[in-house]
Amino acid sequence: MSDVARPMRRLLRIPPVPLAILVGVVLGGLLVLVSGGNPVEAYAAIVTGSLAWDSLPNTLNWAVPLVGMTLVAAIPLRGGMINLGGDGQMVIGGLVAALVPLYLPGPGPLLIVVAILAAMVASGLYATIAAWGETRHGIPMLISSLLLSYPAIGICSYVVGFPLRDTTTGLAQTPMIPEAARLPVLSGPLNAGLLVMLVVAVLVVLYDRFTVGGYELRMRGLNARFAGYGGVPLARQMTGVMFASGAIAGLVGALIVLGSQFRFQDGALLSPGYTWSGLMAALLAGGEPLGAILAGAFFAALQTGGFAMQRETSIPRVLTMVLQSIIILFLAIRHGVGRRRETR
Amino acid sequence: MLDFITPFLVNSAVQAITPILLAALAGTLCGRVGVFNMALEGQMLVGAFAAVVGSYATGSALGGIAAATLATVAFSLILAYGVTVFRGDAVVICVGMNLLASGLTAYLLRQMFGVSGTFSDPAIVGLEKIRIAAINGWPVIGWIFSRQTALTWVAWILVAVVTVVMFRTPLGLRLRGVGEDAEAAETMGVDVTRYRIVTVLVAGAIVGLAGAQLSLGTVSIFSEDMSAGRGWIAVVAVMLGRNHPLYAALACVLFGFADAFSVRLQGQGLPNQVTDVVPYVVTLVALVLTHTKRRRRQDPTITASP
Amino acid sequence: MTAGPVVTPVAELEARGIVKRYGPLVANDRVDLVVARGEVHAVMGENGAGKSTLMSILYGLQQPDAGEILMRGRRVEYRSALDAIAEGMGMVHQAFKLFNSLTVWENVVYGMEPSRHGLIDRRAAIERVGEIAARYRLAVDPTVVVGSLSVGVRQRVEILKALYRDAQILILDEPTAVLTPQERDGLFDVIRHLAADGRTILFVTHKLHEVMTITDRVTVLRDGRVVERMVTAETSPREIIRAMTGRAVNLKVEKAPASPGAPVLVADDLTVLSDDGRPLVDRASLTVRGGEIVGIAGVAGNGQTELIEALAGLRQPFRGRVSIAGQDVTAAGVDAHRVAGLAYIPEDRAVTGTARAASAADNLAMGFHRHPPLARGGLLDGRALAAEARAMIARFGIKIGSEKLAVGTLSGGNLQKVVVARELTHRAPLLIAEQPTRGVDVGAIEFIHSELVAERDRGAAVLLVSAELSEILALADRILVMYEGRILAEVDAATATEEALGLLMAGRVQEAA
Amino acid sequence: ADPKLVVFVSPNPIGVNDFLKLAKTGTEKAAAALGGTAKAYESTDPTTIRQNLEAAAKEAGVVVAVGFEFNDVLPEVAKANPETKFLLVDSCPQTLAPNIYCSVFREYEATFLAGAEAGLTTKTGKVGAIGALDIPFLHRYTDPFLAGAKHVKPDVQTAETLWIGGNNPFSDPARGQQRAAVLVSDDVDRVMAAGAGSNGGIFKGLGDLDGAAAFGVDVNQCKQAPGAVMDNVEKRTDVVIEKGVAGIAKGDQPQVAALGLAEGGMTLTGLEAGVAASGCLIAEYPEALAKVKALRDEIVAGTLKVADPMQLAK
Ligand SMILES: Nc1ncnc2c1ncn2[C@@H]1O[C@H](COP(=O)(O)OP(=O)(O)OP(=O)(O)O)[C@@H](O)[C@H]1O
Ligand SMILES: Nc1ncnc2c1ncn2[C@@H]1O[C@H](COP(=O)(O)OP(=O)(O)OP(=O)(O)O)[C@@H](O)[C@H]1O
Ligand SMILES: [Mg+2]
Ligand SMILES: [Mg+2]
């Protein structure tokens, strides 16, 4: 080792995640500087725009779907599987959750529960198609889950664009759901969806840590052959995992529709790109749920801060996309994040 | 149904396939050396952006192609070194690269040209369409090849070249070996890391061409995220074609014609939300058909349990 | 003494003071090795002694931290295997390094392809490979795909690869581990032929009788250090073992006659089909009773693997019945088999038997993790898991720092102990042991053998699959011979001989009788 | 709140959309006229629309919003911020608050005229339209176009309207080009291009048929693709916002303003001064222009009624 390398090595001893963030911040800052902006101002805007007391609710509100989609990706990833179909699954959940209170009679609270459950079941079942394709026909789930997303999005878009469109507006969207069937507001933009997602997140972490199923999923992720040899029913497990993953995607769609948009609007669930942000957060943590949740929350803060930065300074919020990608790339190559998926 | 197939349509389908085909070729190259390239979408976007910048700056389409190739090769360094020297996970790196491409091109678009969204300018010189009078009149061949850009020609020539190199040359044998079992290749004295790096970079250059075709071949415009999922279709084609350039090309053709067909269906009054889905459904069906036969060959542990 | 040219004996290959460290672990500690031209030189040592490490350094796959290598007296430095190959080194790895989807000739010429006009000259390649194969009596068809070949033939392909590169020094790392006696004898013929041709052989093995049969000299490693150099003709197996382990090892398996009880594993008319519908296991029927060890002998690739997978629930049989302890488990998955009473030591400890990145505790729980004491009502008892793991590590002497550490860096023998410990601890009524001592050193073999016999004496039914005839002969009470998916014969272990079994394994029933 | 601050909140990223860019320019001009400053907040989805709207309502004197996407949230935010005035362009919520002003357009009138130009100038006798996304709002650009052509040339053939769709409908020039190729293959030589950022591809695609031409939207797109654009349906969002904000400041802005040809909210490039220098092909068809001007006058006078394809259920 040359002498020059030594301080480098000491630097690299900073724990990987903070170091990655540091690298991202420095590179992002340079980018801002080169294009004539003020990096300090930009970062200050991001931080206050996401973590200051009155912007925190916005961050949390953004974190609910993002963390949800992080779990969607993390659960299969824990077992060495990848679900790229989050978009389609979320949209199905959103549409179902909007249709239940619109077309079913019943008291509001009951409608909420039914809508959420129906959304989860519908999305979960749709997600299992990809698992079925792999277990039955050997079609790689990676690509079938991605491809299955398009028909789901297309059909939902058609449904709200034509037969079930709210004809009083010029957009492809369902009518507003009745007030009674909306999620109760906690304060400001925050609604009960936050609590629901919190419970789900805790359940996922506990399942991963303390149950037989969690152990089996982890072992599958480390060596699928080994898990199969040990008696883990791989096909059934894959189906179950995809159902859970899809159901959470459906839940995310349902919470957005019932909690903040109050109707299903074509494209509105997809344009924030929760699915890909969630996938990145999950990859960042190698599928480990708690780490993934933290990464998801971090991305939520970054993105919310990005919007604030764009409002405050004229620096475009795509900067936060660049930041996120630098962080994940750095972690991937510097510490081989995600390399633990041993077999296939 | 056959009256759907008009010369114009075939011609435009071939044109629309070109970027996907180039990207898929690059994907098969990477796949052959054991690097699963999911970053085609982002690489194509970088190529498209650099092509427009290069063409705008040099005032020539060739300058655009050169810039696209260089920029995408540079961008591909992340993947090339990331999965080899730094031993990162290909999936993670590719997801990061896609995001980086999307964010960086949008950011640079604003900072370099002061516009957001779309950048078009008369100074951007698009690719010439090659018109060969001799073949114009021929059915089918004429439809396919008249009025295409040089890159479309290059794409199809590359399909042949890559196939020959892959299966008939020492280099190809080595590449295939590296992809099948890197450790075995290493013991035979083949420098796996170097082969992988070079292959990924060459593939990067090819995706650069895909990007150039997208932004200079069809339209002379750059718009944000204009790759619009084409890179993902290329990834699907690579998997459908099992890293074989000819089969991957076939998959691209299948998708391209299903897509052209879907536009036709739209012309018949079907809602576009439904017709848009057609090429994906066709691809899914192809996926199912190509897999049902191989059903029992898979890992016994997977099919276990009733 | 007649006058002649004075020959200073320059060693063909010499390694001086080779040091290789993996973190705190010193895998090779100032190793000196001298190999003369035309000799067959054995390198021996327990699991993890540093044999493979030394070989990969000599073959340029790894760079030593210190020390030097001399070829015919000249100092060489390898940056990669390519340099070593250029110096005339060749290596046959225990785990074959072959491309299964490529043909024999493609595998052989890989990296050194004859070409014309930039394209591979296929005809020249096939011709050249055929020539070498004929010269060294390695019966191989150059045009077949390697994936379809049996293990013995694959090994010949590996040797062909080295000879194609005109290797002067050939390293064979545990080359006989998966061969039948006949195949092994064939290999020895080849080795003698090569040595007579002036080529030098480095022979890594755990099998003493092979060392005694084929080698000229022996170098013994222990804990990364050379502890002894011997001339084969002047030593004995007992001495070599003492050098390797520092103690005496009982090579003879002590066991009382079996007293079989009730049938535990019953397979009836079992047929397993391949993808293209060929029978891999063809109407096999067998019964294993409590208190007996039934051995299955056979050349690898004759359906043993598939038979075991079907018996263990990893594979669905096409026809037939399987029952464990009276329970029909034919269509059930692995878990049902385990509940019914299966313990199973799989053939490949690294790929199937363990998860490298998982902790020892997690590895030691697999298969028994669904039921008490490890789990209750779907909840895993982390404390029980750890306690159980610590107990196993202690009882089986697994060399690992803590049950929380990953098993990925354990040596082959230690990894095998992890698997054996897990499968034996739960006292299942049925134990299927597939190649339980493959690649394991003599000390560990002794231990595993005695554990298997103890299982039997406790009343368990033991089904033993091994390519190692001596192992089957030593342990089994009854021997079944598999050939092309069928159970060809049943032989009483007391009267069986290696030669007769070898003939049966080759399908030559008449001659064997 | 700073009364001299005017904030424009966009429903989608401004980039791809000329129409939103106009709104941004209009906001800047309006702020300059007030002697204040302008800002633009870009949203991507309902959540960020709400966040941006709330942030804007707290800071600004006048908030300019554009699009249907604001119908749900605007009344709520307006109620919470009674001091702030809101100008919603292109849409009007069902429940109005005193501090909400709406300016809506009658795009269909100008589109109808563009269609008339198409009918008058087509050589193949076939016209068609391409839109980004099949939503009612965009039918205001496609349906009246075909109707206008039919009006002046009853035997004109109209092709089925094509939609760009896909992953990125407002910014996928290549798909635009593909759809243009389909129309071209059917000999359609006059095409309404309502594809926002995808329009460039449509123009390019029409280049394959000699004499084919497109109609652009929102701004003069003739220069962008010389020789490929006949005329443009211009929506004077900038003017409307400029006037609207000024009106709000003065206090004489009507709560709901509907703007069409008569009010100067909608027009064609060809109907304005400077046609000759516009680069638009329509400049070469003076007789057609004369007829279209006459039609415009009929519409303005109310003697010719153009159907609004987006007759919303009340
Ligand atoms: N890449 C590595 N990283 C860390 N430790 C290693 C590595 N390779 C080998 N070792 C360790 O070095 C020691 C020597 O290993 P080596 O494979 O040379 O043993 P061996 O004599 O071949 O054993 P066996 O008889 O089991 O094949 C072992 O303790 C092993 O765990
Ligand atoms: N990447 C690695 N990190 C740490 N240790 C390793 C690594 N790869 C191999 N080892 C260790 O190096 C040793 C040699 O590996 P090898 O594949 O030869 O296994 P083995 O079973 O010990 O040898 P053999 O297959 O010859 O019996 C093993 O003990 C293994 O645990
Ligand atoms: Mg070894
Ligand atoms: Mg070994």
Side-chain angles (χ1 to χ4, degrees):
Chain A
M1 267 300 135
S2 70
D3 287 334
V4 194
R6 206 155 290 152
M8 250 327 262
R9 264 198 298 174
R10 192 159 332 131
L11 177 73
L12 293 183
R13 221 169 290 144
I14 302 174
V17 173
L19 181 62
I21 294 173
L22 187 71
V23 168
V25 164
V26 169
L27 289 179
L30 283 176
L31 201 59
V32 173
L33 207 58
V34 166
S35 52
N38 180 347
V40 178
E41 210 176 281
Y43 288 127
I46 290 181
V47 172
T48 51
S50 58
L51 300 180
W53 184 246
D54 50 350
S55 29
L56 206 55
N58 281 340
T59 303
L60 286 176
N61 194 34
W62 193 256
V64 169
L66 207 162
V67 167
M69 294 314 286
T70 302
L71 293 174
V72 169
I75 292 171
L77 198 62
R78 192 63 156 159
M81 298 165 274
I82 295 185
N83 173 12
L84 289 183
D87 273 350
Q89 294 148 18
M90 175 169 48
V91 167
I92 289 177
L95 181 62
V96 169
L99 296 185
V100 166
L102 280 174
Y103 296 98
L104 284 187
L110 180 68
L111 282 180
I112 295 179
V113 173
V114 173
I116 288 181
L117 289 181
M120 292 179 75
V121 169
S123 299
L125 289 179
Y126 194 72
T128 55
I129 297 176
W132 174 79
E134 174 148 345
T135 55
R136 267 309 161 89
H137 298 286
I139 300 166
M141 210 170 63
L142 182 77
I143 102 177
S144 61
S145 62
L146 175 72
L147 280 177
L148 281 167
S149 221
Y150 296 102
I153 295 167
I155 300 302
C156 292
S157 170
Y158 169 75
V159 167
V160 299
F162 296 95
L164 302 182
R165 184 170 74 82
D166 178 359
T167 50
T168 64
T169 72
L171 295 172
Q173 54 189 13
T174 65
M176 290 282 240
I177 58 177
E179 301 256 0
R182 300 177 187 179
L183 286 172
V185 172
L186 298 180
S187 93
L190 294 179
N191 58 63
L194 176 69
L195 303 180
V196 176
M197 195 49 75
L198 210 60
V199 170
V200 170
V202 168
L203 285 180
V204 171
V205 172
L206 292 180
Y207 182 84
D208 179 72
R209 295 253 168 109
F210 298 114
T211 69
V212 169
Y215 166 81
E216 293 188 343
L217 188 58
R218 258 189 301 129
M219 289 304 123
R220 183 204 186 113
L222 297 175
N223 182 353
R225 261 192 90 87
F226 173 60
Y229 147 83
V232 178
L234 295 176
R236 212 184 317 148
Q237 186 189 40
M238 178 179 268
T239 311
V241 161
M242 281 305 279
F243 182 84
S245 171
I248 294 180
L251 174 69
V252 170
L255 293 184
I256 297 176
V257 165
L258 298 173
S260 48
Q261 295 181 3
F262 310 130
R263 56 163 111 218
F264 179 85
Q265 201 179 87
D266 187 25
L269 294 178
L270 301 183
S271 44
Y274 294 127
T275 304
W276 286 101
S277 296
L279 179 64
M280 279 210 300
L283 286 171
L284 209 57
E288 195 278 305
L290 189 61
I293 290 166
L294 291 178
F298 173 69
F299 283 169
L302 205 54
Q303 291 171 9
T304 310
F307 280 101
M309 172 187 71
Q310 184 167 304
R311 285 198 296 264
E312 297 303 314
T313 69
S314 57
I315 298 160
R317 76 186 163 81
V318 286
L319 179 70
T320 57
M321 278 167 84
V322 176
L323 266 177
Q324 284 174 68
S325 53
I326 292 175
I327 291 169
I328 190 164
L329 283 174
F330 180 81
L331 274 178
I333 64 175
R334 176 62 186 77
H335 295 274
V337 178
R339 215 163 6 113
R340 281 195 296 160
R341 280 177 298 115
E342 194 175 87
T343 45
R344 295 206 302 151
Chain B
M1 193 185 129
L2 279 179
D3 59 339
F4 282 151
I5 302 169
T6 66
F8 266 120
L9 219 60
V10 173
N11 194 268
S12 95
V14 170
Q15 188 174 330
I17 289 166
T18 302
I20 302 175
L21 176 63
L22 283 164
L25 266 183
T28 57
L29 276 175
C30 294
R32 278 290 167 179
V33 292
V35 177
F36 180 47
N37 187 346
M38 274 183 21
L40 296 171
E41 177 84 1
Q43 290 173 309
M44 200 191 291
L45 193 61
V46 168
F49 179 73
V52 162
V53 173
S55 173
Y56 178 77
T58 63
S60 95
L62 214 57
I65 292 179
T69 318
L70 285 177
T72 317
V73 168
F75 185 58
S76 307
L77 286 170
I78 301 175
L79 181 61
Y81 281 86
V83 296
T84 54
V85 177
F86 296 100
R87 312 192 50 184
D89 183 85
V91 173
V92 186
I93 291 177
C94 288
V95 169
M97 282 171 73
N98 286 333
L99 188 77
L100 181 63
S102 171
L104 202 58
T105 52
Y107 189 82
L108 291 178
L109 189 67
R110 278 156 223 238
Q111 303 303 335
M112 286 169 71
F113 303 109
V115 299
S116 59
T118 311
F119 177 56
S120 71
D121 192 295
I124 303 170
V125 182
L127 290 166
E128 285 291 328
K129 296 227 168 121
I130 300 173
R131 291 165 202 261
I132 304 177
I135 65 164
N136 259 359
W138 301 1
V140 188
I141 301 287
W143 299 354
I144 295 174
F145 283 109
S146 72
R147 298 182 309 110
Q148 297 291 2
T149 64
L151 287 184
T152 300
W153 288 81
V154 166
W156 287 100
I157 293 168
L158 271 179
V159 172
V161 170
V162 169
T163 308
V164 169
V165 168
M166 200 89 92
F167 298 105
R168 288 282 174 270
T169 66
L171 176 68
L173 180 62
R174 291 180 194 185
L175 294 181
R176 283 183 289 148
V178 167
E180 178 167 344
D181 188 341
E183 214 179 311
E186 195 84 53
T187 60
M188 304 295 276
V190 164
D191 188 341
V192 172
T193 302
R194 216 185 66 209
Y195 274 85
R196 281 196 170 143
I197 289 175
V198 173
T199 306
V200 171
L201 295 184
V202 168
I206 296 178
V207 200
L209 297 182
Q213 166 72 13
L214 191 61
S215 62
L216 295 181
T218 33
V219 292
S220 321
I221 290 173
F222 177 81
S223 58
E224 281 177 24
D225 288 329
M226 78 184 294
S227 43
R230 288 177 181 82
W232 286 106
I233 294 305
V235 171
V236 171
V238 172
M239 297 186 84
L240 244 169
R242 293 170 201 284
N243 290 328
H244 193 299
L246 285 183
Y247 296 141
L250 208 63
C252 291
V253 169
L254 177 75
F255 183 86
F257 278 90
D259 192 34
F261 178 69
S262 77
V263 184
R264 270 282 145 177
L265 285 180
Q266 225 190 84
Q268 305 298 305
L270 279 172
N272 80 299
Q273 290 90 339
V274 175
T275 59
D276 274 6
V277 164
V278 169
Y280 297 101
V281 173
V282 168
T283 310
L284 266 170
V285 169
L287 203 59
V288 173
L289 290 181
T290 53
H291 275 82
T292 34
K293 273 200 306 265
R294 321 179 93 249
R295 183 176 150 181
R296 264 186 305 187
R297 204 166 300 166
Q298 67 187 154
D299 190 330
T301 57
I302 306 285
T303 41
S305 90
Chain C
M1 202 171 253
T2 53
V6 182
V7 185
T8 27
V10 172
E12 177 79 355
L13 170 70
E14 188 175 352
R16 287 187 191 155
I18 300 288
V19 177
K20 180 72 186 176
R21 292 190 195 86
Y22 294 114
L25 182 111
V26 187
N28 281 175
D29 189 0
R30 284 161 287 156
V31 171
D32 297 327
L33 180 73
V34 185
V35 186
R37 180 175 148 87
E39 78 168 340
V40 182
H41 192 117
V43 176
M44 298 205 66
E46 294 194 277
N47 290 123
K51 306 179 294 290
S52 296
T53 304
L54 180 62
M55 294 308 127
S56 47
I57 288 171
L58 293 177
Y59 187 61
L61 286 176
Q62 301 205 46
Q63 278 66 50
D65 297 322
E68 55 182 17
I69 300 170
L70 290 86
M71 293 283 284
R72 289 162 220 105
R74 194 168 44 80
R75 212 189 138 169
V76 289
E77 239 174 87
Y78 303 142
R79 271 159 303 141
S80 73
L82 204 56
D83 297 340
I85 292 169
E87 289 287 345
M89 298 293 303
M91 180 157 179
V92 176
H93 300 261
Q94 181 189 354
F96 296 147
K97 313 278 186 187
L98 293 171
F99 307 111
N100 288 333
S101 77
L102 303 183
T103 59
V104 169
W105 72 265
E106 284 173 315
N107 267 283
V108 172
V109 303
Y110 186 87
M112 246 181 93
E113 307 83 357
S115 66
R116 259 177 47 185
H117 315 304
L119 301 184
I120 291 189
D121 190 343
R122 186 167 177 271
R123 186 160 340 142
I126 293 175
E127 213 167 281
R128 179 98 187 90
V129 174
E131 249 171 52
I132 303 173
R135 176 135 68 94
Y136 293 96
R137 297 186 208 146
L138 293 156
V140 188
D141 176 359
T143 57
V144 295
V145 173
V146 162
S148 66
L149 296 176
S150 70
V151 188
V153 183
R154 282 185 208 203
Q155 186 167 56
R156 280 177 235 154
V157 178
E158 285 282 12
I159 296 174
L160 264 178
K161 274 163 62 179
L163 295 176
Y164 174 79
R165 286 161 181 73
D166 197 26
Q168 295 301 316
I169 303 174
L170 197 59
I171 300 173
L172 304 174
D173 194 353
E174 298 189 41
T176 57
V178 290
L179 301 186
T180 60
Q182 279 80 4
E183 281 176 323
R184 180 197 61 207
D185 293 343
L187 174 69
F188 284 0
D189 278 345
V190 172
I191 290 177
R192 288 194 191 97
H193 208 76
L194 290 169
D197 201 37
R199 295 176 205 261
T200 307
I201 315 288
L202 267 167
F203 193 85
V204 180
T205 186
H206 292 294
K207 299 181 187 172
L208 291 158
H209 58 276
E210 294 178 357
V211 173
M212 303 312 293
T213 311
I214 191 82
T215 68
D216 303 308
R217 288 198 293 156
V218 186
T219 297
V220 179
L221 294 179
R222 195 199 305 165
D223 296 336
R225 242 166 289 170
V226 175
V227 288
E228 197 107 36
R229 296 188 184 78
M230 303 180 262
V231 174
T232 311
E234 297 165 5
T235 185
S236 71
R238 204 156 292 278
E239 254 179 84
I240 298 176
I241 289 174
R242 201 186 309 277
M244 275 166 38
T245 61
R247 66 185 167 104
V249 171
N250 190 354
L251 282 179
K252 184 106 183 64
V253 180
E254 305 285 353
K255 72 176 177 51
S259 46
V264 176
L265 172 70
V266 180
D268 187 30
D269 203 24
L270 206 60
T271 298
V272 176
L273 295 186
S274 70
D275 296 334
D276 46 15
R278 267 181 317 112
L280 296 172
V281 176
D282 196 0
R283 316 197 66 159
S285 299
L286 61 89
T287 303
V288 186
R289 296 168 182 279
E292 71 169 348
I293 298 180
V294 174
I296 295 185
V299 179
N302 274 281
Q304 303 94 313
T305 306
E306 291 77 13
L307 172 67
I308 298 303
E309 280 176 359
L311 294 178
L314 278 166
R315 198 186 261 265
Q316 287 298 297
F318 173 68
R319 178 179 331 119
R321 301 255 126 238
V322 179
S323 71
I324 295 175
Q327 249 171 286
D328 187 330
V329 289
T330 316
V334 179
D335 190 49
H337 287 69
R338 290 211 174 253
V339 171
L342 167 76
Y344 172 31
I345 299 169
E347 175 174 37
D348 192 331
R349 55 185 169 253
V351 176
T352 310
T354 55
R356 302 192 85 133
S359 70
D362 283 347
N363 268 293
L364 288 167
M366 182 50 83
F368 304 93
H369 61 277
R370 292 186 159 193
H371 311 284
L374 298 182
R376 234 172 286 271
L379 290 181
L380 216 56
D381 183 345
R383 219 169 296 157
L385 221 67
E388 190 118 328
R390 276 194 298 269
M392 287 191 228
I393 290 171
R395 186 165 113 68
F396 288 82
I398 302 167
K399 285 184 197 126
I400 189 164
S402 139
E403 83 280 357
K404 295 191 193 72
L405 295 178
V407 298
T409 54
L410 291 183
S411 80
N414 264 306
L415 204 59
Q416 186 69 1
K417 280 188 186 173
V418 170
V419 178
V420 171
R422 176 181 64 218
E423 300 303 321
L424 294 193
T425 299
H426 296 274
R427 317 221 139 215
L430 169 66
L431 172 67
I432 298 180
E434 215 178 349
Q435 318 288 1
T437 59
R438 175 180 289 177
V440 165
D441 68 48
V442 281
I445 289 174
E446 180 199 26
F447 175 76
I448 292 172
H449 282 179
S450 64
E451 286 294 330
L452 290 181
V453 172
E455 278 294 290
R456 180 199 77 163
D457 293 343
R458 170 176 75 69
V462 180
L463 182 64
L464 168 73
V465 183
S466 177
E468 199 71 51
L469 270 187
S470 56
E471 178 165 87
I472 292 206
L473 284 168
L475 290 177
D477 302 308
R478 287 190 292 135
I479 301 170
L480 307 176
V481 182
M482 268 192 97
Y483 178 71
E484 291 189 340
R486 275 169 297 131
I487 292 183
L488 202 61
E490 178 177 333
V491 183
D492 186 354
T495 59
T497 63
E498 266 204 35
E499 288 63 38
L501 283 176
L503 287 171
L504 283 171
M505 285 160 70
R508 281 140 68 172
V509 187
Q510 256 78 43
E511 294 159 69
Chain D
D2 170 6
K4 292 216 182 299
L5 175 66
V6 186
V7 176
F8 162 49
V9 183
S10 81
N12 303 306
I14 298 171
V16 290
N17 206 329
D18 278 329
F19 163 60
L20 295 177
K21 287 183 197 163
L22 278 181
K24 193 176 169 211
T25 327
T27 308
E28 280 156 9
K29 283 191 199 150
L34 287 179
T37 48
K39 279 188 179 177
Y41 294 177
E42 259 183 49
S43 326
T44 56
D45 71 298
T47 309
T48 48
I49 285 177
R50 177 183 286 273
Q51 285 175 14
N52 284 333
L53 198 60
E54 281 172 353
K58 286 205 178 63
E59 302 167 8
V62 183
V63 175
V64 178
V66 172
F68 287 96
E69 289 86 347
F70 290 86
N71 281 10
D72 295 348
V73 284
L74 189 57
E76 224 180 290
V77 176
K79 210 168 140 202
N81 297 277
E83 299 303 304
T84 312
K85 305 266 189 285
F86 297 85
L87 173 62
L88 179 57
V89 178
D90 236 10
S91 174
C92 214
Q94 271 166 331
T95 49
L96 276 178
N99 55 340
I100 297 180
Y101 300 84
C102 301
S103 294
V104 293
F105 292 91
R106 297 194 300 274
E107 296 90 346
Y108 48 93
E109 295 180 351
T111 312
F112 184 86
L113 293 183
E117 281 181 3
L120 291 168
T121 58
T122 174
K123 301 210 170 53
T124 60
K126 294 179 182 172
V127 301
I130 299 173
L133 207 55
D134 190 359
I135 52 172
F137 181 61
L138 282 179
H139 278 270
R140 280 190 164 178
Y141 285 96
T142 57
D143 300 0
F145 181 78
L146 304 179
K150 272 243 186 296
H151 182 78
V152 297
K153 188 173 159 66
D155 64 340
V156 79
Q157 290 186 39
T158 54
E160 193 75 37
T161 299
L162 299 180
W163 306 98
I164 288 165
N167 288 354
N168 210 353
F170 292 98
S171 181
D172 195 336
R175 273 176 91 94
Q177 189 269 351
Q178 228 181 326
R179 272 134 191 84
V182 170
L183 292 181
V184 160
S185 80
D186 288 345
D187 272 341
V188 176
D189 71 344
R190 293 292 176 267
V191 177
M192 181 70 220
S198 308
N199 267 9
I202 300 176
F203 301 154
K204 194 92 173 176
L206 292 180
D208 284 341
L209 179 63
D210 286 335
F215 290 81
V217 284
D218 293 333
V219 293
N220 179 8
Q221 300 189 305
C222 297
K223 292 219 166 74
Q224 180 187 329
V229 185
M230 179 65 63
D231 205 343
N232 305 285
V233 176
E234 287 191 32
K235 188 162 168 179
R236 311 295 286 273
T237 319
D238 49 345
V239 179
V240 166
I241 290 175
E242 202 182 336
K243 289 197 177 138
V245 173
I248 290 170
K250 264 198 285 163
D252 62 359
Q253 176 74 3
Q255 198 161 24
V256 179
L259 307 152
L261 292 171
E263 296 82 0
M266 297 298 307
T267 187
L268 296 182
T269 312
L271 296 177
E272 299 295 301
V275 202
S278 67
C280 294
L281 297 175
I282 193 66
E284 294 158 23
Y285 297 86
E287 326 83 81
L289 260 184
K291 286 190 187 148
V292 169
K293 279 183 176 146
L295 276 179
R296 186 221 12 220
D297 295 339
E298 280 182 52
I299 294 172
V300 169
T303 50
L304 176 61
K305 280 257 178 277
V306 179
D308 177 3
M310 207 180 55
Q311 273 308 329
L312 300 179
K314 286 296 166 204

